[in-house]
Amino acid sequence: MDFRNEPLGRLARILALLSLFIGLGDAARLLGLGAGSASPILTIGTMGFILLSALTLMRLFAAVGLWIQSSWGAIILAASLAIELAFYLLGSNWVSLGLWGFIFKLGVMLATFGLLAIAQLSVRRQLAD
């Protein structure tokens, strides 16, 4: 399943850019930008740092996958957002999101699921023809 037709390809590229910006924002947080002189490991804890590192790598790889219009990029992005939102909803202190950050990431996750669903329907339609 790929996103080579016109509307799916554009949506995949938009999601790739969003994934890249989210991943770079997380990378900046890992480096301690905006935290003053406090260490990011001390600020979010060791497990939070490891979780944020894994999510950052997932999002950067997802951005590459979506940019080349491959389905594995969308799957990785959806998985990383689902993991982060699950940790947030379970009340973990490893993930810190505001209301607008939660709404934004939920919207990106739903758009990613929509992209995968539309691509799957497109494949089924092509097989039926």
Side-chain angles (χ1 to χ4, degrees):
M1 170 175 34
D2 62 6
F3 309 124
R4 303 235 184 258
N5 62 4
E6 189 63 29
L8 290 180
R10 285 188 184 167
L11 182 57
R13 293 273 168 104
I14 291 169
L15 287 174
L17 291 174
L18 290 174
S19 178
L20 178 68
F21 290 136
I22 293 171
L24 290 176
D26 289 344
R29 218 172 125 210
L30 286 172
L31 293 172
L33 297 176
S37 62
S39 168
I41 296 176
L42 295 177
T43 303
I44 59 177
T46 305
M47 287 304 297
F49 189 83
I50 292 169
L51 176 67
L52 188 59
S53 299
L55 292 174
T56 300
L57 285 174
M58 287 175 74
R59 290 178 183 141
L60 293 176
F61 279 109
V64 172
L66 284 165
W67 191 260
I68 64 173
Q69 299 177 347
S70 180
S71 62
W72 58 265
I75 293 169
I76 292 174
L77 178 60
S80 72
L81 289 169
I83 290 168
E84 182 177 22
L85 293 178
F87 272 105
Y88 176 73
L89 290 174
L90 291 174
S92 173
N93 58 355
W94 298 335
V95 176
S96 63
L97 287 174
L99 176 64
W100 293 111
F102 175 78
I103 292 170
F104 173 72
K105 289 184 179 182
L106 181 64
V108 172
M109 184 179 73
L110 292 175
T112 306
F113 284 140
L115 176 70
L116 288 169
I118 293 170
Q120 184 66 30
L121 288 174
S122 173
V123 167
R124 287 185 182 178
R125 186 176 299 146
Q126 288 176 355
L127 289 176
D129 289 342

